Amino acid sequence: MPPSMRKAVCLNAVCLLALVTLAHSADAQSPPSVPDTIEGRSIESHLAAGKNAAGGRDNTPDFYGLVTAICVAPQRGAPSPDAPAPREEPNRKATYMQPKKAFDDAYWLGTEGVSAWLLTSSDGYILYDTANVYDAEDVLVGGMTKLGLDPAKVKYVIVSHGHRGESGGAYLFQSRYGARIVTGDWDLIEGSVYGYPAGKPKRDIVATDGMKVTLGDRAITLYLTPGHTPGTISGIFQVHDQGKPLTVVYSGGTEFNFPNDVAHFDQYLASERRLASLATEAGATIIINNQSQFNGAADKLRILADRQPGERHPLDVGTEAVARYFKIEDECAQAQRLKVIASQGSH
């Protein structure tokens, strides 16, 4: 006689009761079934919804890199504080790309994988994220010099989170140019044992929710969005394209390289949904971040030189596309959360 199954799911998403299997003794060696749905949605349906949200103009997906990173092949687990120090890759310069003037008052510096953004003002510059420790000199300082910009005018450095690709150059700008460092991840940075072979930035400004970083005529509003790391911060600000003001949402952390348990996914989802709501309220039509492949910044800025009069800026994707970006994060995080629950059920 085949086993009968009972599933009990509380209305509260945190309360998922164990799957109870009533099996005949002859079936004792069969592996137990595990839940793959919650509130009527399956893992595969969440993944499909996330992938389908890539969308895009002219049948070209806006966010295929994001889908690949968190829906197709997501990372799992946080790096250890005593992970080996980053090694200087002798061939790393092959990945460097030419710096670009992205908007009237914003510049992109980076590689196919890492983005840093320089925001100008009437009283100096704000650098948003700082590349890897061995790349910062060439990509950031060298990039600014190529663009005719003075690195010594960087007054503030915002570090979206304390991973190497975002915080690697913070010490350089703090020690050489006296820039103020703003982040919510000081504990993560200070807890890293080997992550800063060129020097660890000293604790400076601790980001708080709703904080405004103001420099001359430039203002950036920061929001605490923990999940990717405990102290991840995101921001909303304006740039200008041929004189037209456009609102940007800067997503501070994306991948699932944190402890993969229900509580951490709940935190990630809560932050992602809040930032999505803030972006909608602000009317943001541009989504940027610290990893070029997620929003296609490196590739989209290549075509900026061929832009025709009246044509929309390639990074100005519109409010609907910005909402789709966050939907990808939401759906694929829910899928991974369900996999955690299913794994727990199997044990």
Side-chain angles (χ1 to χ4, degrees):
M1 180 177 179
S4 59
M5 316 282 271
R6 286 192 294 127
K7 295 181 182 178
V9 180
C10 293
L11 292 178
N12 188 331
V14 176
C15 179
L16 180 69
L17 298 181
L19 177 67
V20 179
T21 303
L22 302 178
H24 190 274
S25 59
D27 298 316
Q29 300 303 315
S30 300
S33 298
V34 296
D36 67 350
T37 65
I38 188 167
E39 299 176 355
R41 296 287 302 280
S42 70
I43 292 171
E44 289 305 319
S45 71
H46 282 297
L47 288 175
K51 294 173 183 178
N52 290 337
R57 290 174 282 186
D58 303 321
N59 296 316
T60 301
D62 283 321
F63 309 123
Y64 62 88
L66 178 65
V67 168
T68 300
I70 66 172
C71 304
V72 178
Q75 292 188 15
R76 296 182 178 90
S80 171
D82 61 352
R87 291 180 294 177
E88 187 171 3
E89 167 56 54
N91 299 318
R92 69 188 185 281
K93 294 184 180 182
T95 68
Y96 295 173
M97 299 181 67
Q98 290 298 316
K100 301 286 185 183
K101 182 176 183 179
F103 298 95
D104 300 353
D105 47 3
Y107 297 80
W108 178 87
L109 309 154
T111 70
E112 280 283 2
V114 176
S115 288
W117 299 84
L118 187 73
L119 311 175
T120 62
S121 82
S122 59
D123 193 30
Y125 310 149
I126 299 174
L127 178 63
Y128 213 135
D129 284 322
T130 66
N132 288 291
V133 61
Y134 289 118
D135 298 330
E137 183 72 51
D138 292 327
V139 172
L140 303 181
V141 176
M144 292 179 205
T145 302
K146 287 181 180 179
L147 292 166
L149 303 169
D150 183 1
K153 290 185 177 181
V154 174
K155 303 295 181 64
Y156 289 98
V157 173
I158 298 173
V159 176
S160 62
H161 64 271
H163 287 160
R164 294 172 179 174
E166 290 69 41
S167 61
Y171 174 77
L172 185 157
F173 282 89
Q174 185 183 60
S175 61
R176 185 183 299 177
Y177 303 116
R180 303 295 306 274
I181 311 297
V182 184
T183 189
D185 251 347
W186 284 114
D187 289 347
L188 184 62
I189 291 170
E190 291 176 346
S192 175
V193 178
Y194 305 119
Y196 301 93
K200 187 181 293 186
K202 296 179 180 178
R203 183 178 286 254
D204 193 5
I205 300 173
V206 179
T208 57
D209 197 57
M211 169 189 284
K212 287 189 181 295
V213 177
T214 303
L215 183 65
D217 55 357
R218 165 78 67 183
I220 301 172
T221 305
L222 300 178
Y223 298 97
L224 303 184
T225 52
H228 181 69
T229 66
T232 296
I233 55 176
S234 299
I236 292 179
F237 53 90
Q238 281 195 336
V239 295
H240 292 81
D241 176 37
Q242 298 177 348
K244 177 184 176 181
L246 299 169
T247 300
V248 174
V249 56
Y250 194 109
S251 179
T254 304
E255 292 175 287
F256 307 146
N257 46 345
F258 48 78
N260 275 202
D261 55 37
V262 172
H264 279 87
F265 273 111
D266 285 345
Q267 182 183 58
Y268 178 98
L269 283 162
S271 291
E272 173 272 321
R273 289 169 182 173
R274 183 188 181 216
L275 187 58
S277 178
L278 289 167
T280 298
E281 291 173 11
T285 62
I286 298 169
I287 172 80
I288 61 176
N289 47 46
N290 35 56
Q291 290 185 260
S292 312
Q293 69 269 34
F294 295 157
N295 70 328
D299 293 326
K300 289 179 178 180
L301 289 174
R302 286 176 179 173
I303 66 175
L304 190 58
D306 297 325
R307 181 184 181 190
Q308 300 299 310
E311 187 176 359
R312 195 171 178 175
H313 192 289
L315 288 176
D316 181 19
V317 294
T319 56
E320 185 270 338
V322 170
R324 285 192 286 103
Y325 182 98
F326 290 114
K327 181 175 177 60
I328 293 168
E329 290 187 330
D330 194 301
E331 295 286 356
C332 293
Q334 289 189 70
Q336 296 305 316
R337 180 182 181 277
L338 279 177
K339 287 184 178 182
V340 171
I341 293 172
S343 175
Q344 293 172 344
S346 69
H347 291 83

